[in-house]
Amino acid sequence: MDLRKTHTWAFLLLILNSAYIWPLAEPSVLYMGNVALHLLLGVYLTGVALYYLVRRFNSFTILARVAFLSFLLSAIPAFVLMKLGNLRSNRWILDAHIALALASVALAGVAFWKYLSWKGTSSPFRLAWRGYLTSLSILAIFPVVVTTYQHLRPDPAERIRNPRLTPTSMDEEGDGPGSPFFPSSATTTTGKTIPSNFFLTSEVCKRCHPDIYEQWNSSMHHFSSFNNQWYRKSIEYMQDVVGTKPSKWCAGCHDHAVFFNGKFDTPIKDRINTREAQAGLACTSCHSIVRVRSSMGNGGFVIEYPPLHDLATSDNKYLRWLHDFLIKTAPAPHRKVFMKPFHTKDTPEMCSACHKVHLDVPVNAYRWIRGFNDYDNWQASGVSGQGARSFYYPKQPMKCADCHMPLVASKDLGNIDGYVHSHRFPAANTAVPTSQQDEKQLETVIDFLKNKQVTIDIFALSPSGKNMPGQEPGGMTKPAKPIETFSTFAIGEESEAFGTNEPAPSAAEEVIAPVDRVNATVHRGESVRIDVVARTRTVGHFFPGGTVDAFDVWMELQAVDNRGQILFWSGKVENGGKGPVESGAHMYRSYQLDEHGNYINKRNAWATRSVLYVRLIPPGAADTVHFRLNVPETAGDRITLKARLNYRKFSWWNTQWAFAGIRDPQQASFDLGKSYDDGSWIFKGDLAQVSAKLKAIPDVPIVAMAEDIKELRVVDRKVPLPNMKVPPDKADLSRWNDYGIGLLLQGDLKSAEAVFLKVTQTDPTFVDGWVNVGRARIQEGNTAGAQEALRKALELNGELARTHYFYALTLKVQGKYDEALSHLRKVLSQYPRDRVVRNQAGRVLFLKRQYQEAINQLQETLLVDPEDLQAHYNLMLCYQGLGQTQMADQEKKLYLRFKADESAQFITGPVRLRHPEANNERQPIHEHVSVPLEAAQPNRDSPIHRVRKAYAQE
């Protein structure tokens, strides 16, 4: 046997093998087999080259020697990569290996050609030469063709795009009613179940990613399932009341090990302590998603069982070693499986799959209702860089991972410059790490909450003793304006209804501000209003976000005089700070009601039939909170005001119920149905089997996310008040602007306009001052006044998109449609994905009877949000205008699907009578009074007294 031929054909095979593995990186047995073959051929030919150079050096030409030497040199970085791993940090080593290998191939070809020229046509290596030319051609062409094809024809599943057709019911979502996973939209590539052990192997990932594994092990993704007592209780209750099938809607995003193996058809109580039930979301839950169908949420993703998974999790240690060795040597296929382009390029849309939900008939036996939604308001805001109408914008657009997966130092394989994205997913859940006694995770979450996400400012006082505009003391108040889309969440910049509360009928009140700069002074016996401004800073979605029916988030204000007397306290927590929040506090939450008017407090969203109120703060916006302070005659000479924005997840009641809630045995009978629960609960259940390390009801910490302290001087009635006006100061500009934003979003338009005019007086070049004056006047219906302010804004900055948008609204009111369109198009040239601007452009085109052009605009809106109510309404009108009855009926069906059920508000009537504090909170503009206090007595242990004493000592 001629070994020279064997060596030659092995070399040619290596060239063909290289041409295959270079551009493809396919996560398949065939590809990884070729990686192994590449390594074996390389080692074999390295030995051959070394042998020839050492034993037959003199028999080769100089060119052949250089070719052999180049091949040997290319083997050095290859062996280094086999030892160290083909990591990003070692990319230069891989580049060196490729360059030297290509050089050796070229040199070998030239040497081979010269050898054949010397030997003549009789050489037996002529066939090998043809093989070389063929292999070289394939090496040159195949990678180029594959790379070009992949660039020109990318896999549509690699990116997340919304469909052009919107589902008219939940039956058209996911794989439909025939799916084993319905009513969740989640599914698998086969549409069938997959083994549960696929989600029980996260420890396999620890072999290469120990830091990420430890982070995940403490995260809420890990504790998303029945290892979380709050979630466990809610699902057990849900299945008891409505059965198991509707609960699959929850499981698609919470319980993959139970859900995807088909075991969610029986009550979870039967298998609560199994590995599957305790697994939570595994590494594979996110990283094995191969497609996200849209940004409509509800678990609209597709999971694939990777072909190499069994090799990675094999019980055979040699197979596991082989898997890990090949992955470290050629990590591209592994990365291709577990890090799809949408994981990094479309992160928010991927997160929307589970962080945006709606309910419909298969879940609630009622109709479509928007549940929690952390995506749409982000997308429409300035934080995403896609919204044109925000009050504030960050320095650069931000995505979910920028806040919730911050970079942390790590030497894990796959790190980038020594950092990985944290898989602790820091957010707001302090309850679960408390119950699991996980101090590190708890510390991470608390640090996150306190990291200037929101700030508060005790900004103004008003000496008026009048009732707040919009309130009718002693009786029922007007119902709040109905929510446009039927939603249990707030309405933000994703809707034209944003900031359109009923205008307050009264004129602007006198305001003394900023409190810390005006020598703020009050009379004994006087009633004053204290205004506190909460401003979202680094929050990219509504504050708070998530399931906002289940938290305690509130503004607390306490007033203590220099004698230690507590004069005022709103937002007090009962039981020495460990119980429920007093009922009159200013709460940030969704107050939902079931069919009988019972408060939705058991995470029983399927029973929601109406919403009493929703109060959340949009990103880059503010909320102005009003407190009524009655200064007693016995007050000291100074009053210290301390405000705190408090966060407790979960609410006190929900925590008690989740851990120890049982039906009240004293209640002989009560009404219970799929849409109501009139039963009573007591908190005396057995704690021995709860899903937590702590076998007790946890004392969930109350985190003060933001605090502020200001002081008032107090004088007798007969003493004249000092001059409390100060010259405008640009240092206070943003404070005044924030104050005005809070008033504007409440509908206190006259007060907001006065504040924004104050902003323009402080700095006439501050464009947003004029824009905000225009916004307030538009809401009032003062079109001419709005145009006056907006023209001044355009003079200062003719390119500011939000100015053009609001100016276009005034032109539309005046019937100047062409001019309005011109301004709207300027906005869309900068922000093509602003759905509200698109809708306005479509509406103006409809009014011009340019129906097809309007349809084109509105269909662009649906590519941003297929469930946009205004788009469907206007499309219905456009198709009617074109006489396209079938399309008009389709859009009408969608419009009615998403539109609010105004009649559901009748449920709130009796509730408002029974709970006047909740009715007060329902009003867009309202005041908070103090909890009942004993006759003012010194309280040396009060928080404010301790703070005041500390300040005095300083």
Side-chain angles (χ1 to χ4, degrees):
M1 181 179 180
D2 190 345
L3 288 178
R4 291 180 302 167
K5 290 184 179 180
T6 302
H7 303 331
T8 302
W9 290 109
F11 181 67
L12 298 181
L13 180 59
L14 180 62
I15 294 175
L16 291 172
N17 168 268
S18 300
Y20 171 72
I21 66 174
W22 190 355
L24 287 173
E26 289 299 317
S28 64
V29 174
L30 174 64
Y31 183 88
M32 297 310 292
N34 270 275
V35 170
L37 178 62
H38 186 82
L39 298 177
L40 292 172
L41 287 172
V43 171
Y44 169 72
L45 291 173
T46 298
V48 171
L50 187 62
Y51 168 80
Y52 279 123
L53 276 179
V54 173
R55 300 294 296 273
R56 303 183 63 181
F57 183 81
N58 293 327
S59 63
F60 291 107
T61 64
I62 294 176
L63 190 60
R65 295 170 191 169
V66 174
F68 278 121
L69 183 61
S70 179
F71 187 86
L72 286 174
L73 289 175
S74 75
I76 294 174
F79 284 118
V80 172
L81 290 175
M82 291 167 65
K83 175 65 176 177
L84 300 180
N86 188 5
L87 310 178
R88 286 187 179 92
S89 57
N90 296 335
R91 176 69 199 192
W92 67 274
I93 304 177
L94 176 63
D95 292 340
H97 166 67
I98 294 172
L100 289 167
L102 289 174
S104 70
V105 170
L107 290 168
V110 175
F112 202 2
W113 174 73
K114 287 196 171 186
Y115 171 78
L116 291 176
S117 298
W118 175 59
K119 283 289 187 179
T121 57
S122 61
S123 172
F125 285 95
R126 282 289 174 182
L127 181 61
W129 172 246
R130 295 190 190 98
Y132 170 81
L133 292 177
T134 303
S135 301
L136 189 64
S137 300
I138 293 173
L139 179 63
I141 296 172
F142 185 73
V144 174
V145 170
V146 170
T147 303
T148 303
Y149 179 82
Q150 290 173 339
H151 176 73
L152 296 177
R153 299 290 299 272
D155 183 354
E158 290 184 347
R159 302 300 300 275
I160 301 171
R161 298 292 182 263
N162 282 317
R164 289 196 171 271
L165 294 178
T166 304
T168 58
S169 72
M170 192 172 266
D171 288 352
E172 298 173 16
E173 297 170 3
D175 285 351
S179 166
F181 313 115
F182 186 79
S184 171
S185 294
T187 187
T188 64
T189 50
T190 64
K192 300 177 181 179
T193 60
I194 54 180
S196 60
N197 70 335
F198 181 56
F199 302 101
L200 302 177
T201 55
S202 293
E203 284 200 43
V204 170
C205 305
K206 186 179 180 180
R207 300 202 298 256
C208 294
H209 308 289
D211 290 342
I212 289 176
Y213 173 83
E214 292 302 328
Q215 295 158 8
W216 163 85
N217 202 37
S218 292
S219 74
M220 280 309 304
H221 278 198
H222 180 204
F223 289 99
S224 69
S225 190
F226 301 103
N227 50 4
N228 174 338
Q229 180 60 27
W230 286 268
Y231 178 76
R232 169 186 170 180
K233 181 76 170 187
S234 67
I235 297 300
E236 289 176 342
Y237 172 73
M238 181 181 189
Q239 292 185 345
D240 286 345
V241 175
V242 298
T244 57
K245 187 166 185 176
S247 67
K248 290 183 181 181
W249 175 76
C250 308
C253 283
H254 282 267
D255 314 297
H256 288 179
V258 189
F259 171 74
F260 279 113
N261 73 351
K263 294 182 179 178
F264 226 78
D265 291 312
T266 56
I268 197 62
K269 287 181 179 179
D270 298 343
R271 53 175 52 85
I272 204 71
N273 293 316
T274 61
R275 287 185 66 205
E276 293 90 341
Q278 298 291 314
L281 294 178
C283 303
T284 48
S285 293
C286 293
H287 288 285
S288 288
I289 293 175
V290 294
R291 182 186 172 197
V292 178
R293 287 171 160 162
S294 70
S295 64
M296 287 185 281
N298 269 28
F301 57 83
V302 181
I303 287 269
E304 180 183 55
Y305 193 99
L308 300 178
H309 176 74
D310 292 338
L311 184 63
T313 59
S314 171
D315 292 333
N316 187 309
K317 64 180 181 180
Y318 301 108
L319 288 178
R320 291 198 306 269
W321 177 88
L322 176 62
H323 170 272
D324 292 355
F325 174 74
L326 291 176
I327 290 300
K328 290 176 184 178
T329 306
H334 182 76
R335 190 160 52 242
K336 191 171 184 178
V337 169
F338 294 114
M339 281 297 290
K340 297 289 190 294
F342 57 71
H343 281 95
T344 53
K345 296 179 180 179
D346 301 321
T347 311
E349 287 71 27
M350 180 186 171
C351 296
S352 76
C354 283
H355 291 266
K356 176 182 176 180
V357 303
H358 59 267
L359 301 87
D360 211 331
V361 175
V363 179
N364 62 10
Y366 177 38
R367 55 155 294 160
W368 187 95
I369 301 178
R370 167 66 68 218
F372 85 92
N373 180 0
D374 287 334
Y375 173 77
D376 280 343
N377 190 238
W378 166 85
Q379 186 279 324
S381 75
V383 178
S384 71
Q386 301 175 39
R389 299 155 292 110
S390 294
F391 294 108
Y392 293 105
Y393 289 76
K395 292 181 179 179
Q396 60 184 21
M398 300 179 68
K399 298 181 179 180
C400 310
D402 293 324
C403 292
H404 298 294
M405 297 186 71
L407 291 174
V408 293
S410 174
K411 294 182 180 180
D412 279 6
L413 297 182
N415 75 79
I416 301 176
D417 298 327
Y419 288 89
V420 298
H421 285 281
S422 173
H423 284 60
R424 288 187 179 275
F425 307 104
N429 195 315
T430 56
V432 169
T434 298
S435 69
Q436 297 296 337
Q437 300 178 319
D438 188 335
E439 294 298 325
K440 177 63 176 177
Q441 181 72 8
L442 180 60
E443 178 185 355
T444 301
V445 174
I446 291 176
D447 288 347
F448 178 83
L449 287 171
K450 289 187 171 184
N451 190 24
K452 298 181 180 179
Q453 309 289 350
V454 185
T455 58
I456 59 175
D457 182 8
I458 303 173
F459 182 71
L461 68 86
S462 174
S464 170
K466 296 185 296 182
N467 294 303
M468 287 295 298
Q471 289 184 268
E472 298 174 13
M476 292 291 293
T477 57
K478 296 178 181 179
K481 186 177 180 180
I483 299 172
E484 190 179 42
T485 299
F486 201 166
S487 175
T488 64
F489 216 62
I491 297 296
E493 290 169 282
E494 71 278 9
S495 170
E496 293 175 27
F498 176 61
T500 58
N501 282 311
E502 290 290 339
S506 62
E509 296 190 29
E510 178 187 1
V511 171
I512 299 169
V515 166
D516 53 328
R517 295 192 60 242
V518 298
N519 190 24
T521 307
V522 296
H523 280 131
R524 291 184 179 90
E526 184 182 14
S527 177
V528 296
R529 191 185 80 203
I530 306 295
D531 291 343
V532 181
V533 180
R535 159 80 191 280
T536 48
R537 298 283 176 178
T538 58
V539 180
H541 45 69
F542 274 116
F543 171 82
T547 51
V548 291
D549 58 305
F551 313 157
D552 285 334
V553 185
W554 74 102
M555 183 73 76
E556 177 184 5
L557 182 69
Q558 194 179 49
V560 178
D561 69 7
N562 57 309
R563 300 171 182 171
Q565 300 179 106
I566 299 178
L567 309 179
F568 180 95
W569 200 343
S570 174
K572 181 182 179 181
V573 180
E574 298 175 11
N575 299 338
K578 297 182 181 295
V581 183
E582 59 101 351
S583 58
H586 188 79
M587 305 294 294
Y588 295 99
R589 64 178 173 184
S590 174
Y591 195 119
Q592 302 170 37
L593 304 172
D594 71 13
E595 187 177 332
H596 287 186
N598 299 300
Y599 180 36
I600 298 291
N601 55 7
K602 298 178 283 295
R603 294 297 301 118
N604 49 326
W606 73 86
T608 296
R609 294 297 181 268
S610 188
V611 179
L612 185 66
Y613 70 84
V614 183
R615 178 172 296 102
L616 308 173
I617 310 176
D623 180 40
T624 299
V625 190
H626 310 289
F627 298 93
R628 176 60 55 181
L629 171 63
N630 296 312
V631 184
E633 297 287 355
T634 58
D637 297 329
R638 295 186 308 279
I639 296 176
T640 300
L641 302 172
K642 181 176 182 181
R644 301 199 326 170
L645 182 62
N646 296 313
Y647 204 115
R648 177 167 61 184
K649 182 176 180 178
F650 293 92
S651 69
W652 179 87
W653 196 95
N654 187 258
T655 295
Q656 306 299 306
W657 176 79
F659 277 74
I662 58 174
R663 295 285 185 181
D664 186 352
Q666 302 299 317
Q667 189 178 24
S669 63
F670 57 90
D671 287 338
L672 173 65
K674 292 184 177 180
S675 58
Y676 54 85
D677 183 349
D678 297 342
S680 298
W681 297 81
I682 60 173
F683 309 133
K684 297 182 178 180
D686 181 17
L687 295 166
Q689 299 301 319
V690 295
S691 294
K693 286 185 179 180
L694 182 66
K695 303 302 180 183
I697 301 176
D699 179 18
V700 179
I702 295 172
V703 179
M705 291 187 64
E707 300 181 72
D708 191 33
I709 298 175
K710 298 288 176 18
E711 191 169 88
L712 306 177
R713 289 182 61 239
V714 185
V715 297
D716 288 336
R717 286 177 180 269
K718 297 179 180 180
V719 177
L721 293 174
N723 177 22
M724 290 185 281
K725 294 184 178 180
V726 294
D729 189 334
K730 289 186 179 181
D732 299 321
L733 190 71
S734 63
R735 296 174 69 191
W736 279 103
N737 200 47
D738 294 344
Y739 182 53
I741 291 169
L743 296 172
L744 175 67
L745 295 182
Q746 293 172 358
D748 193 354
L749 302 180
K750 287 293 185 183
S751 296
E753 180 185 353
V755 170
F756 292 137
L757 286 171
K758 176 84 171 180
V759 170
T760 64
Q761 293 164 12
T762 304
D763 183 359
T765 66
F766 182 60
V767 182
D768 279 316
W770 297 109
V771 174
N772 291 338
V773 171
R775 293 178 77 151
R777 289 175 177 174
I778 287 172
Q779 293 301 322
E780 284 185 90
N782 180 5
T783 302
Q787 286 183 332
E788 178 187 3
L790 293 167
R791 278 195 289 265
K792 290 181 180 178
L794 287 171
E795 290 172 5
L796 292 169
N797 184 346
E799 298 300 318
L800 192 64
R802 49 191 176 274
T803 313
H804 285 284
Y805 171 74
F806 291 110
Y807 195 69
L809 295 187
T810 67
L811 294 168
K812 187 183 82 167
V813 170
Q814 294 174 332
K816 300 177 180 178
Y817 298 143
D818 289 332
E819 291 182 58
L821 273 175
S822 175
H823 285 277
L824 290 172
R825 283 168 177 153
K826 286 181 180 178
V827 181
L828 289 172
S829 68
Q830 299 178 51
Y831 296 93
R833 283 177 58 81
D834 189 309
R835 66 186 81 180
V836 172
V837 181
R838 285 277 177 205
N839 281 340
Q840 285 290 355
R843 181 68 180 177
V844 172
L845 288 165
F846 165 76
L847 294 173
K848 286 169 59 64
R849 300 191 178 185
Q850 295 177 354
Y851 299 130
Q852 188 56 56
E853 292 87 344
I855 289 170
N856 294 340
Q857 287 289 341
L858 297 168
Q859 287 177 337
E860 289 295 317
T861 296
L862 297 183
L863 292 179
V864 177
D865 179 17
E867 299 166 316
D868 189 278
L869 181 70
Q870 286 294 332
H872 288 298
Y873 174 71
N874 286 311
L875 280 168
M876 174 184 70
L877 299 180
C878 288
Y879 285 122
Q880 288 174 347
L882 290 173
Q884 297 182 18
T885 306
Q886 185 175 357
M887 293 300 296
D889 290 344
Q890 174 81 355
E891 293 300 330
K892 180 180 179 180
K893 189 174 182 180
L894 289 165
Y895 168 66
L896 293 176
R897 183 188 185 200
F898 304 131
K899 183 179 180 293
D901 179 7
E902 289 90 351
S903 65
Q905 283 294 302
F906 84 91
I907 297 174
T908 69
V911 179
R912 288 182 279 141
L913 287 173
R914 291 197 308 268
H915 302 287
E917 297 91 349
N919 182 47
N920 183 56
E921 278 290 275
R922 175 182 167 89
Q923 311 312 312
I925 309 172
H926 61 275
E927 291 180 355
H928 294 272
V929 298
S930 176
V931 297
L933 299 170
E934 298 179 3
Q937 297 291 332
N939 181 359
R940 303 299 176 183
D941 294 324
S942 72
I944 288 185
H945 183 78
R946 291 196 297 270
V947 171
R948 187 187 61 78
K949 184 177 180 181
Y951 277 19
Q953 290 173 346
E954 291 178 1

